[in-house]
Amino acid sequence: EALVLDQAGNINDLWDVTGLQVATGMSGIPTATVTMMGPDGVQRYVASTGTGPVDAVYKAIDQIMGVSVELEDYSMQSVNEGIEALATTRVVIIPKVGGPNDSQSTHAQSGITNDRKFTGLGSDTDIVVASARAYVSALNKLLTFTLRRKQQQTEEGEDGGDDGEDLEPQLVGRTPVGVCDGEIC
């Protein structure tokens, strides 16, 4: 069930973790090398350090995807028992205000502005891999939301009497991505 939930939202994935290596210990600096496949089909990799292995992985992912978010919640639980137990990780992220993927929303009736939150789930027998999958899942939701919101704003502008120019390429992470007839191209 956990693996099904982990893979259920992968239809609109822009980014995918294709490789992950972590070095950590009591006397060393936690270091992670992450390889990801971008929406343009190009693999990118970055090595980063952090306060722990998961922090190092998240910093590397942030560098590859070009995002700026705050981790609001991180939780992990074991799905089954034993040495090869499956770990399920859940993360909640909030884009940093003024960052490249700022996604504040204003309530239509009250006018109250809230930070939009994005949740991701990841499962694996390796807790660092499960953490990486959950984080990328949440970031993909953020980027997909941002892309759709910009597309809607452009369409609303066209209905309002704009000159009807083609959509400009949008920046998704560090990869220029255009929106053609409602599809990412």
Side-chain angles (χ1 to χ4, degrees), residues 10-154:
N10 288 350
I11 296 170
N12 294 324
D13 278 358
L14 299 173
W15 291 89
D16 186 36
V17 176
T18 57
L20 176 65
Q21 183 176 349
V22 178
T24 190
M26 290 178 54
S27 62
I29 297 172
T31 306
T33 303
V34 177
T35 306
M36 298 182 73
M37 180 73 70
D40 57 359
V42 175
Q43 280 202 337
R44 294 166 179 81
Y45 62 92
V46 167
S48 185
T49 61
T51 58
V54 173
D55 183 51
V57 167
Y58 285 9
K59 286 179 178 177
I61 290 169
D62 287 348
Q63 287 178 35
I64 292 172
M65 293 179 68
V67 295
S68 180
V69 298
E70 292 181 26
L71 183 63
E72 182 181 81
D73 187 45
Y74 174 95
S75 61
M76 180 177 292
Q77 70 182 84
S78 173
V79 175
N80 52 356
E81 295 179 11
I83 192 78
E84 294 189 26
L86 187 66
T88 299
T89 305
R90 179 182 181 273
V91 299
V92 179
I93 60 168
I94 301 173
K96 290 187 179 176
V97 176
N101 301 103
D102 187 1
S103 64
Q104 287 189 324
S105 60
T106 304
H107 191 274
Q109 293 178 345
S110 68
I112 296 173
T113 302
N114 295 320
D115 292 326
R116 190 162 179 92
K117 298 177 183 182
F118 298 88
T119 303
L121 294 172
S123 299
D124 199 272
T125 54
D126 183 319
I127 61 172
V128 178
V129 173
S131 298
R133 287 183 176 167
Y135 192 60
V136 171
S137 172
L139 290 171
N140 278 328
K141 289 176 185 177
L142 163 64
L143 294 175
T144 300
F145 171 81
T146 303
L147 188 62
R148 285 182 184 155
R149 186 175 68 174
K150 287 181 180 180
Q151 181 182 359
Q152 287 173 347
Q153 290 171 347
T154 302

